[in-house]
Amino acid sequence: MSSLTEILKVLTETNSTSGREEAVRNKILGFLSPYVDGHRVDRLGNLIVWKKGRSGKKILLDAHMDEIGVVVTHIDDRGFLRIEMVGGMDPRNLLGSRIRFLNEEGTCGVVGVEGETQEELKQNLEKLSFDRIYVDIGAYSKEEAMKRINIGTFGVYDSHFENFGNVCISKAMDDRVGCAVLIKLFESLKETEHSIYGVFSVQEEVGLVGASVAAYEIDPDIAIALDVTGAFDTPKAHKRMGMKLGAGPAMKVMDQASISDRRLLNKLVETAEKHGIPYQMEVLVFGGTDAAGYQKTKSGIPSATVSIPTRYIHTPHEMVDIRDVENTVKLLNHFCQEAFD
């Protein structure tokens, strides 16, 4: 049985963008196989696992396994690559960083910015966009570059996992931290009153694609999405929101994509208070989670989101507090047993 930090290291350092989730799916299944009653991969690529209960009630827990990235759109005559984002990628976070491409060679490149004069460079930095950046893979011609990489190749931040006591830093915490929570949850579940389904969904970062189909055959009574949310406890952070590291999982009231089911939200809060689990309330003024996809499945599934506060989301160095992750596992363990009491 692996520790949370060991699982996080493996998952975050596995490179799998939206639409290319095979590698991380295999890692997740390797951790989970001894602790579930069965699994399947649907036609879209979602990994669905389950543990059967006695009551006939079904709880669906979701964490998306894709990560943001880039894709090669063009190679110029001098061998420099042009790219487009896959998911919410800010070019300011790319500038000067390294990109690891998901080809057989694992080609690596450095992101630079155009500028023939100091004035042009200044303007391009002020109005940075994907039109003004390129990736340098050390090639001297288009022919040389095309021996290493093709148009349509996906890439991710070339970053690695660090553990500083309670704080862990890596790319792809969004949402490999949610995947790690589900893995530890299934490890901890023994006999269950209700049937528990875990969905490790694909392509959340490009439009909640996997969640839109994952629940059709399961037809659960309720769904909980596990995802990250912004931690706004850094200097001069967003003053309209107050989530912070180390204060426990965040119970999402709403975001731009969905409003959590009131009864489900109340039950999550009640469960946390009953078992002395620290928590915080979340109203996010942007973004969305897979809960929105489940709400619109079939005739509608009552849904909510439990979030793990995270600093520097969608950068190469997303930061979480491992105590928040552990408390999320505890919360969901109790919730799965008590949801329909």
Side-chain angles (χ1 to χ4, degrees):
M1 186 179 293
S2 301
S3 69
L4 255 176
T5 52
E6 290 169 338
I7 294 170
L8 270 177
K9 177 177 172 59
V10 170
L11 297 188
T12 56
E13 291 186 347
T14 301
N15 299 327
S16 286
T17 64
S18 293
R20 299 292 185 270
E21 295 92 353
E22 297 88 348
V24 73
R25 184 174 64 221
N26 291 338
K27 297 288 187 182
I28 291 167
L29 190 55
F31 284 118
L32 272 174
S33 291
Y35 306 105
V36 297
D37 294 333
H39 78 274
R40 66 181 177 88
V41 178
D42 69 17
R43 288 186 292 180
L44 206 58
N46 296 307
L47 171 62
I48 301 170
V49 302
W50 57 85
K51 199 167 183 65
K52 287 294 187 180
R54 300 177 292 271
S55 72
K57 298 287 189 181
K58 301 176 185 177
I59 299 173
L60 184 152
L61 302 168
D62 168 283
H64 69 89
M65 59 183 170
D66 60 320
E67 64 181 296
I68 59 169
V70 299
V71 61
V72 179
T73 63
H74 178 67
I75 303 173
D76 72 18
D77 291 340
R78 293 178 295 169
F80 293 101
L81 315 181
R82 300 294 178 163
I83 55 174
E84 180 54 65
M85 62 182 175
V86 179
M89 179 80 78
D90 190 327
R92 290 172 297 182
N93 293 326
L94 281 168
L95 192 58
S97 67
R98 295 193 300 187
I99 297 293
R100 181 70 61 180
F101 289 97
L102 310 188
N103 54 1
E104 189 173 340
E105 297 81 7
T107 302
C108 186
V110 179
V111 180
V113 60
E114 297 175 345
E116 290 187 317
T117 66
Q118 287 293 94
E119 184 62 27
E120 183 184 29
L121 180 59
K122 180 180 177 181
Q123 290 175 355
N124 285 350
L125 288 170
E126 289 174 351
K127 298 181 179 180
L128 198 61
S129 73
F130 281 86
D131 290 329
R132 294 178 169 92
I133 64 174
Y134 57 85
V135 181
D136 183 351
I137 61 170
Y140 288 93
S141 68
K142 183 173 185 177
E143 292 71 26
E144 183 183 352
M146 292 190 71
K147 291 177 182 178
R148 304 183 194 176
I149 202 161
N150 296 314
I151 291 171
T153 303
F154 288 75
V156 298
Y157 291 124
D158 189 31
S159 177
H160 62 275
F161 180 87
E162 293 281 1
N163 181 10
F164 302 125
N166 290 324
V167 172
C168 298
I169 303 169
S170 180
K171 73 169 181 66
M173 287 292 186
D174 179 13
D175 185 31
R176 305 288 165 73
V177 68
C179 296
V181 166
L182 280 189
I183 290 168
K184 294 305 289 184
L185 175 67
F186 275 93
E187 279 185 5
S188 68
L189 290 172
K190 306 306 178 187
E191 291 187 5
T192 57
E193 181 66 18
H194 316 302
S195 293
I196 313 299
Y197 288 81
V199 175
F200 299 85
S201 60
V202 299
Q203 298 190 51
E204 188 269 355
E205 296 289 1
V206 293
L208 316 183
V209 176
S212 300
V213 303
Y216 263 79
E217 291 184 23
I218 301 170
D219 197 18
D221 295 278
I222 57 175
I224 304 288
L226 307 174
D227 212 327
V228 300
T229 191
F232 300 101
D233 52 352
T234 54
K236 292 203 172 183
H238 204 303
K239 63 183 179 182
R240 294 173 61 197
M241 294 172 288
M243 291 81 75
K244 57 185 180 180
L245 294 191
M251 314 300 194
K252 187 187 292 287
V253 178
M254 66 172 288
D255 54 33
Q256 281 193 329
S258 68
I259 299 174
S260 294
D261 180 85
R262 178 185 293 180
R263 289 167 298 178
L264 201 44
L265 182 62
N266 289 345
K267 185 64 181 180
L268 286 163
V269 170
E270 175 190 315
T271 302
E273 291 180 346
K274 177 180 177 181
H275 297 281
I277 298 168
Y279 70 93
Q280 46 195 319
M281 302 302 293
E282 174 196 359
V283 178
L284 194 66
V285 300
F286 46 77
T289 74
D290 274 343
Y294 292 114
Q295 285 179 329
K296 293 178 280 191
T297 297
K298 283 191 169 181
S299 58
I301 300 169
S303 303
T305 299
V306 175
S307 303
I308 296 162
T310 305
R311 292 178 186 162
Y312 320 119
I313 293 175
H314 284 198
T315 77
H317 314 295
E318 297 174 332
M319 180 186 292
V320 301
D321 188 314
I322 200 68
R323 294 169 296 184
D324 293 334
V325 188
E326 292 167 345
N327 279 319
T328 305
V329 176
K330 292 176 185 176
L331 170 71
L332 293 175
N333 192 308
H334 291 297
F335 178 84
C336 286
Q337 301 295 347
E338 302 169 10
F340 301 103
D341 288 352

